[in-house]
Amino acid sequence: MYIDLLVVNDESRKVLFMECKWKKLTLKQSLKILRELEIKAEQVNWNKGKRREFFGLAAKKIAGKDTLREKGFVVFDLDDV
């Protein structure tokens, strides 16, 4: 079990879990990766039960970014940089 990037804020107890993929992703593939990331995050004990969690994905190209963002995910691809 690996999580590519984990960003924590000790004061606010916010945590961002990120996956990074160097490929083009469909909306369906992105949702699957994010669901798997949520499962992986359950294994992280840092402030478990007290933290506010955010989940994100970075990739070469992500189809349906607006849909993912509407669902509350942090997503960006090369078009965003």
Side-chain angles (χ1 to χ4, degrees):
M1 176 206 77
Y2 294 101
I3 297 173
D4 292 332
L5 181 65
L6 182 67
V7 181
V8 298
N9 182 316
D10 286 320
E11 289 180 28
S12 66
R13 286 186 265 192
K14 292 179 182 177
V15 59
L16 171 63
F17 299 93
M18 290 283 299
E19 287 291 325
C20 302
K21 304 295 179 193
W22 189 244
K23 60 183 175 178
K24 296 178 182 179
L25 298 172
T26 65
L27 177 59
K28 184 177 179 180
Q29 290 171 318
S30 297
L31 285 168
K32 182 177 186 274
I33 291 167
L34 289 162
R35 281 193 301 268
E36 291 171 353
L37 181 59
E38 289 172 334
I39 292 167
K40 291 178 188 178
E42 293 173 8
Q43 302 303 311
V44 177
N45 290 322
W46 180 84
N47 280 310
K48 198 169 189 174
K50 301 175 198 167
R51 66 189 181 210
R52 183 161 178 219
E53 298 177 330
F54 299 90
F55 298 93
L57 177 62
K60 186 184 278 188
K61 181 75 174 170
I62 301 173
K65 284 189 294 186
D66 290 337
T67 300
L68 294 167
R69 288 174 178 152
E70 287 171 8
K71 292 180 180 285
F73 295 112
V74 176
V75 293
F76 59 93
D77 61 19
L78 292 179
D79 291 339
D80 296 313
V81 272

